Amino acid sequence: MRRSTKRFAAELICPRKCFADFSEVWQAAGLPRDEGLRPRLFELPLIAVVLDSDGLPLWTPTFFLADTALASRAVTGDTVRTYAEALIPWLQYLAERKIALECATEETIGVYRADISHLNRSQTNTRYASATVNQRIIVPANFHFWGQRRGMMPSPLGEYLCERESLTRRSRVDSRRGFRSSKLPRIAAPRVIRRLPVALSDTEIQRLFSATPMPYRLMLRWCVACGLRRFEVCGLRISDLPTSEQIANSNDGVLTIVLLRKGGREVSVYVPAKLVTETHWYILTERPAPASSEQTFVFLNKTGRQVSRQILTKTFRKSADLLGSKATLHHLRHTFAVAVLGILTRHADEGEDFNSLKVLQVLLGHASIETSEIYIQAAQTSSDAVIEALDFLYGASL
């Protein structure tokens, strides 16, 4: 699959899906097999090759993305994908202004930041989100820092960033010794605006589900009932599901399964027994005959292959557009979190001894409790008291 931006493109490759083993790589390259060479990237979920307008590899950015892939703990390759998507516009920007990578300066990336901060998308006529702009600054900066440290692409920008890193490290040492050092100027990126999570109403969820065909409707149910992300529900395997015996022995109606979550962490996920039973029934009655390589996955498309994240998102978007809803697939996870936090808080207020936020952190699989705290704000701002106050103020203005 190729994501192109005019002169440059990032070819995204899933090695294990393209080749059965590393010997096929040698064969495809037309090279004699070297038994002493160990494949460095073959086991990664995704790698990216940057191509020029002639379809030829640009090795320096490709090696940078390869090192990024090796350093990432992501199980889906999303880090490499987003890095490639952020790096391509920077290469395009330099090429349009006839600036070589080795000539980029702090001023160059500063002008680039200002340019994309005020850029309107031609189709939607909306500006890039601050998080997107931030990423498109950080990735080129990391690229030049990497190039300077490796000696593969020295540049004034890379030299500045390495000096900054060195002085920052020295500043930390001085602060421990009681000395004060001057603050190093940095490449400014726009402050990321953290939007509150959006929780959908029961009515909107029911309408969305009624407009969504199987098996996508069942996949959405996993998202809203367990707080799963797209890649988690698409990657669900039959072996992950509790057996019929385990369902029968469940006393509280909740079962535990172990999944790989964001960052490659293996954590427990709590699932309603009724949802597991419904999923088993889907496998027995509606699941298409699997392709030879897809037998382990729960959710398959009509051709018997694993449902991709892109197709799941596209199907959800189609259902939402049909109903005139602006909801996104990730809003189902938000809905799970806000609803669970509200119920946990109510029980804690009634005297039950537990930390609501800590329980939510476990349920969502967050590595840090700070990540879960934003749902407190969402729950508070959508409370009955806030709604009552806003309704009163509106009525008073009539």
Side-chain angles (χ1 to χ4, degrees):
M1 46 187 171
R2 180 176 298 180
R3 297 171 179 267
S4 61
T5 306
K6 297 180 182 178
R7 300 188 189 184
F8 302 95
E11 188 77 27
L12 303 177
I13 303 171
C14 305
R16 277 295 184 184
K17 289 188 176 181
C18 296
F19 307 97
D21 54 49
F22 197 62
S23 63
E24 290 191 5
V25 178
W26 288 113
Q27 185 177 359
L31 298 173
R33 180 166 179 170
D34 186 348
E35 298 292 346
L37 182 64
R38 296 175 62 99
R40 205 167 69 108
L41 308 174
F42 190 67
E43 298 299 333
L44 294 175
L46 194 71
I47 59 176
V49 180
V50 178
L51 307 175
D52 62 16
S53 57
D54 297 322
L56 299 176
L58 296 174
W59 291 116
T60 302
T62 295
F63 289 150
F64 164 69
L65 294 174
D67 279 355
T68 299
L70 288 169
S72 172
R73 293 181 297 176
V75 296
T76 61
D78 279 346
T79 300
V80 177
R81 185 195 310 273
T82 54
Y83 264 58
E85 290 174 347
L87 188 58
I88 293 297
W90 170 246
L91 299 176
Q92 177 68 26
Y93 176 84
L94 294 180
E96 289 175 350
R97 285 153 184 78
K98 295 181 171 52
I99 302 174
L101 285 170
E102 293 78 6
C103 298
T105 65
E106 179 193 354
E107 181 182 358
T108 308
I109 201 168
V111 175
Y112 174 67
R113 181 199 67 242
D115 185 64
I116 60 176
S117 295
H118 300 90
L119 179 66
N120 283 344
R121 296 182 183 175
S122 58
Q123 294 181 343
T124 61
N125 199 33
T126 57
R127 290 179 179 174
Y128 288 117
S130 58
T132 302
V133 177
N134 201 25
Q135 184 184 59
R136 292 198 174 187
I137 299 301
I138 291 174
V139 171
N142 286 342
F143 174 45
H144 283 268
F145 177 79
W146 170 89
Q148 189 77 21
R149 291 288 296 269
R150 286 297 187 91
M152 295 182 64
M153 189 187 67
S155 66
L157 175 58
E159 183 178 356
Y160 164 78
L161 292 169
C162 285
E163 180 185 356
R164 167 192 163 191
E165 192 268 346
S166 176
L167 288 177
T168 301
R169 194 185 322 115
R170 192 185 314 159
S171 174
R172 289 171 183 163
V173 173
D174 289 345
S175 65
R176 295 192 196 102
R177 296 173 178 171
F179 302 131
R180 297 184 64 182
S181 58
S182 59
K183 201 170 185 180
L184 183 72
R186 61 186 179 87
I187 295 176
R191 184 178 61 182
V192 175
I193 301 172
R194 295 189 68 186
R195 296 179 175 85
L196 287 179
V198 176
L200 307 182
S201 66
D202 293 346
T203 301
E204 189 168 9
I205 290 174
Q206 291 171 4
R207 293 180 66 210
L208 283 168
F209 281 27
S210 65
T212 305
M214 287 289 284
Y216 308 102
R217 180 168 66 249
L218 182 55
M219 297 177 76
L220 299 184
R221 193 162 285 132
W222 275 87
C223 292
V224 77
C226 308
L228 296 192
R229 299 179 177 89
R230 292 184 308 164
F231 84 88
E232 293 166 344
V233 68
C234 289
L236 198 63
R237 297 176 184 270
I238 295 176
S239 58
D240 295 327
L241 300 177
T243 64
S244 300
E245 290 76 14
Q246 290 173 315
I247 297 173
N249 293 330
S250 173
N251 296 323
D252 54 7
V254 176
L255 298 161
T256 304
I257 63 175
V258 177
L259 296 179
L260 276 178
R261 305 208 84 162
K262 193 175 181 180
R265 291 176 295 109
E266 197 175 67
V267 298
S268 296
V269 177
Y270 302 91
V271 187
K274 292 181 180 178
L275 179 58
V276 178
T277 300
E278 184 181 359
T279 305
H280 275 300
W281 185 250
Y282 155 76
I283 294 171
L284 289 172
T285 61
E286 298 184 53
R287 181 173 175 260
S292 57
S293 59
E294 312 287 328
Q295 296 181 14
T296 61
F297 293 106
V298 171
F299 297 110
L300 305 177
N301 59 26
K302 293 180 180 179
T303 64
R305 298 192 176 278
Q306 176 191 10
V307 174
S308 68
R309 292 176 295 164
Q310 293 77 14
I311 293 300
L312 178 60
T313 302
K314 184 178 179 180
T315 303
F316 179 89
R317 185 74 266 141
K318 184 178 180 180
S319 298
D321 290 343
L322 184 66
L323 301 173
S325 172
K326 295 183 178 179
T328 69
L329 183 56
H330 202 64
H331 287 167
L332 297 181
R333 180 172 164 85
H334 292 335
T335 302
F336 166 84
V338 172
V340 167
L341 183 59
I343 295 172
L344 290 173
T345 302
R346 186 173 70 247
H347 281 271
D349 292 342
E350 293 173 354
E352 295 191 36
D353 186 19
F354 58 80
N355 185 324
S356 303
L357 191 58
K358 192 67 178 177
V359 174
L360 182 65
Q361 178 194 359
V362 173
L363 292 176
L364 290 173
H366 287 157
S368 169
I369 198 168
E370 286 77 14
T371 310
S372 308
E373 287 178 347
I374 192 171
Y375 291 103
I376 294 180
Q377 302 175 44
Q380 290 172 343
T381 55
S382 60
S383 66
D384 292 339
V386 172
I387 294 172
E388 181 182 348
L390 294 178
D391 281 344
F392 169 78
L393 292 171
Y394 173 73
S397 69
L398 296 177

